[in-house]
Amino acid sequence: MPQAIDLYFDFSSTYSYIAHLKIIDIARKHDLQVNWKCISLGAVFHQLGHSLPQMGSPKQKYLWHDVERSAADAGLDFHWPNPFPFNSIHAARGFYWVMDNSPEKIEAYIKAVFHTAFAQDIEAGNPENLKKIAIDLGLDADAFLAALGDETYKTRLKQETVAAQARDVFGAPTFFFKDEMFWGADRLSSLESYIIAEKDK
């Protein structure tokens, strides 16, 4: 089995959006798999006592500008979702349903949700919008929609979030390769350098 990069992400995370295509390219370039692990970043922040910077503060203005600049550098269309951050819980539960039922379509689902949220400015937390994504991907849309409220997938998301916290994940995206941790879309080059060094040993 190929080695893998573990990727912890949240669909409402701007930097997860910025990183999601590049990590696929890096994995394929080095013959690696990506273990996609969708989490509730809001729950992580709540547990750590973190909060978003106050609107109008120097940090908020810088971060918003940096997101827009980073998306442009990555060649991605970008629009701030309204509201932001949006509630990504349904998208995350849907992710695990797709993972269980049509794993070959998981990358397509991830790309579609991110594109909907940040390129099309369509609320990706809305179950009806997610159902449309399921239809477009040729999934059983009714079963998908039912899964968004199913206790199985509510529990699954909670468990994956707790597992992320046990690995000291505090933000998204967070990458692990051989238990070495890298946080942020701006650490992809460092991650790739580490992968190359480890594979050359």
Side-chain angles (χ1 to χ4, degrees), residues 115-127:
H115 186 76
T116 297
F118 293 107
Q120 295 183 309
D121 193 18
I122 297 172
E123 189 179 353
N126 185 307

PDB file of all heavy atoms in Angstrom, residues 115-127:
ATOM      1  N   HIS A 115     -15.465  24.439  -4.442  1.00  0.00           N
ATOM      2  CA  HIS A 115     -15.769  25.335  -5.570  1.00  0.00           C
ATOM      3  C   HIS A 115     -17.091  26.058  -5.340  1.00  0.00           C
ATOM      4  O   HIS A 115     -17.203  27.266  -5.598  1.00  0.00           O
ATOM      5  CB  HIS A 115     -15.828  24.526  -6.870  1.00  0.00           C
ATOM      6  CG  HIS A 115     -16.002  25.370  -8.090  1.00  0.00           C
ATOM      7  ND1 HIS A 115     -14.972  26.099  -8.639  1.00  0.00           N
ATOM      8  CD2 HIS A 115     -17.090  25.611  -8.866  1.00  0.00           C
ATOM      9  CE1 HIS A 115     -15.414  26.751  -9.702  1.00  0.00           C
ATOM     10  NE2 HIS A 115     -16.691  26.468  -9.864  1.00  0.00           N
ATOM     11  N   THR A 116     -18.071  25.325  -4.841  1.00  0.00           N
ATOM     12  CA  THR A 116     -19.368  25.930  -4.545  1.00  0.00           C
ATOM     13  C   THR A 116     -19.232  27.042  -3.516  1.00  0.00           C
ATOM     14  O   THR A 116     -19.783  28.140  -3.681  1.00  0.00           O
ATOM     15  CB  THR A 116     -20.345  24.858  -4.025  1.00  0.00           C
ATOM     16  OG1 THR A 116     -20.570  23.889  -5.053  1.00  0.00           O
ATOM     17  CG2 THR A 116     -21.677  25.459  -3.614  1.00  0.00           C
ATOM     18  N   ALA A 117     -18.479  26.774  -2.462  1.00  0.00           N
ATOM     19  CA  ALA A 117     -18.369  27.714  -1.348  1.00  0.00           C
ATOM     20  C   ALA A 117     -17.552  28.947  -1.690  1.00  0.00           C
ATOM     21  O   ALA A 117     -17.945  30.077  -1.349  1.00  0.00           O
ATOM     22  CB  ALA A 117     -17.766  27.009  -0.134  1.00  0.00           C
ATOM     23  N   PHE A 118     -16.411  28.744  -2.336  1.00  0.00           N
ATOM     24  CA  PHE A 118     -15.451  29.846  -2.469  1.00  0.00           C
ATOM     25  C   PHE A 118     -15.293  30.399  -3.876  1.00  0.00           C
ATOM     26  O   PHE A 118     -14.781  31.511  -4.034  1.00  0.00           O
ATOM     27  CB  PHE A 118     -14.080  29.400  -1.957  1.00  0.00           C
ATOM     28  CG  PHE A 118     -14.057  29.147  -0.472  1.00  0.00           C
ATOM     29  CD1 PHE A 118     -13.986  27.856   0.018  1.00  0.00           C
ATOM     30  CD2 PHE A 118     -14.125  30.193   0.423  1.00  0.00           C
ATOM     31  CE1 PHE A 118     -13.966  27.614   1.385  1.00  0.00           C
ATOM     32  CE2 PHE A 118     -14.111  29.962   1.792  1.00  0.00           C
ATOM     33  CZ  PHE A 118     -14.036  28.677   2.281  1.00  0.00           C
ATOM     34  N   ALA A 119     -15.718  29.667  -4.889  1.00  0.00           N
ATOM     35  CA  ALA A 119     -15.626  30.175  -6.254  1.00  0.00           C
ATOM     36  C   ALA A 119     -16.973  30.654  -6.775  1.00  0.00           C
ATOM     37  O   ALA A 119     -17.053  31.638  -7.515  1.00  0.00           O
ATOM     38  CB  ALA A 119     -15.058  29.104  -7.187  1.00  0.00           C
ATOM     39  N   GLN A 120     -18.042  29.973  -6.357  1.00  0.00           N
ATOM     40  CA  GLN A 120     -19.378  30.326  -6.841  1.00  0.00           C
ATOM     41  C   GLN A 120     -20.168  31.165  -5.851  1.00  0.00           C
ATOM     42  O   GLN A 120     -21.219  31.690  -6.203  1.00  0.00           O
ATOM     43  CB  GLN A 120     -20.167  29.055  -7.171  1.00  0.00           C
ATOM     44  CG  GLN A 120     -19.582  28.256  -8.326  1.00  0.00           C
ATOM     45  CD  GLN A 120     -20.435  27.048  -8.666  1.00  0.00           C
ATOM     46  OE1 GLN A 120     -20.782  26.255  -7.798  1.00  0.00           O
ATOM     47  NE2 GLN A 120     -20.775  26.918  -9.936  1.00  0.00           N
ATOM     48  N   ASP A 121     -19.674  31.278  -4.619  1.00  0.00           N
ATOM     49  CA  ASP A 121     -20.379  32.035  -3.581  1.00  0.00           C
ATOM     50  C   ASP A 121     -21.794  31.507  -3.378  1.00  0.00           C
ATOM     51  O   ASP A 121     -22.758  32.268  -3.285  1.00  0.00           O
ATOM     52  CB  ASP A 121     -20.406  33.527  -3.910  1.00  0.00           C
ATOM     53  CG  ASP A 121     -20.846  34.377  -2.723  1.00  0.00           C
ATOM     54  OD1 ASP A 121     -20.804  33.873  -1.583  1.00  0.00           O
ATOM     55  OD2 ASP A 121     -21.246  35.539  -2.940  1.00  0.00           O
ATOM     56  N   ILE A 122     -21.914  30.184  -3.348  1.00  0.00           N
ATOM     57  CA  ILE A 122     -23.172  29.511  -3.041  1.00  0.00           C
ATOM     58  C   ILE A 122     -23.001  28.835  -1.693  1.00  0.00           C
ATOM     59  O   ILE A 122     -21.970  28.207  -1.443  1.00  0.00           O
ATOM     60  CB  ILE A 122     -23.530  28.467  -4.119  1.00  0.00           C
ATOM     61  CG1 ILE A 122     -23.746  29.160  -5.466  1.00  0.00           C
ATOM     62  CG2 ILE A 122     -24.756  27.655  -3.716  1.00  0.00           C
ATOM     63  CD1 ILE A 122     -23.919  28.199  -6.631  1.00  0.00           C
ATOM     64  N   GLU A 123     -23.957  28.950  -0.814  1.00  0.00           N
ATOM     65  CA  GLU A 123     -23.802  28.450   0.547  1.00  0.00           C
ATOM     66  C   GLU A 123     -23.640  26.935   0.553  1.00  0.00           C
ATOM     67  O   GLU A 123     -24.595  26.187   0.334  1.00  0.00           O
ATOM     68  CB  GLU A 123     -24.973  28.857   1.427  1.00  0.00           C
ATOM     69  CG  GLU A 123     -24.741  28.539   2.888  1.00  0.00           C
ATOM     70  CD  GLU A 123     -25.893  28.963   3.777  1.00  0.00           C
ATOM     71  OE1 GLU A 123     -26.831  29.628   3.286  1.00  0.00           O
ATOM     72  OE2 GLU A 123     -25.857  28.618   4.979  1.00  0.00           O
ATOM     73  N   ALA A 124     -22.434  26.489   0.829  1.00  0.00           N
ATOM     74  CA  ALA A 124     -22.135  25.060   0.797  1.00  0.00           C
ATOM     75  C   ALA A 124     -22.598  24.337   2.047  1.00  0.00           C
ATOM     76  O   ALA A 124     -22.473  23.118   2.129  1.00  0.00           O
ATOM     77  CB  ALA A 124     -20.640  24.840   0.595  1.00  0.00           C
ATOM     78  N   GLY A 125     -23.116  25.058   3.020  1.00  0.00           N
ATOM     79  CA  GLY A 125     -23.665  24.414   4.199  1.00  0.00           C
ATOM     80  C   GLY A 125     -25.131  24.084   4.065  1.00  0.00           C
ATOM     81  O   GLY A 125     -25.706  23.396   4.920  1.00  0.00           O
ATOM     82  N   ASN A 126     -25.748  24.545   2.992  1.00  0.00           N
ATOM     83  CA  ASN A 126     -27.176  24.320   2.762  1.00  0.00           C
ATOM     84  C   ASN A 126     -27.400  22.911   2.209  1.00  0.00           C
ATOM     85  O   ASN A 126     -26.843  22.566   1.162  1.00  0.00           O
ATOM     86  CB  ASN A 126     -27.696  25.368   1.772  1.00  0.00           C
ATOM     87  CG  ASN A 126     -29.191  25.278   1.563  1.00  0.00           C
ATOM     88  OD1 ASN A 126     -29.715  24.221   1.250  1.00  0.00           O
ATOM     89  ND2 ASN A 126     -29.885  26.393   1.703  1.00  0.00           N
ATOM     90  N   PRO A 127     -28.201  22.073   2.883  1.00  0.00           N
ATOM     91  CA  PRO A 127     -28.403  20.699   2.410  1.00  0.00           C
ATOM     92  C   PRO A 127     -28.891  20.606   0.971  1.00  0.00           C
ATOM     93  O   PRO A 127     -28.487  19.677   0.243  1.00  0.00           O
ATOM     94  CB  PRO A 127     -29.435  20.141   3.392  1.00  0.00           C
ATOM     95  CG  PRO A 127     -29.188  20.907   4.654  1.00  0.00           C
ATOM     96  CD  PRO A 127     -28.847  22.296   4.199  1.00  0.00           C
TER      97      PRO A 127
END
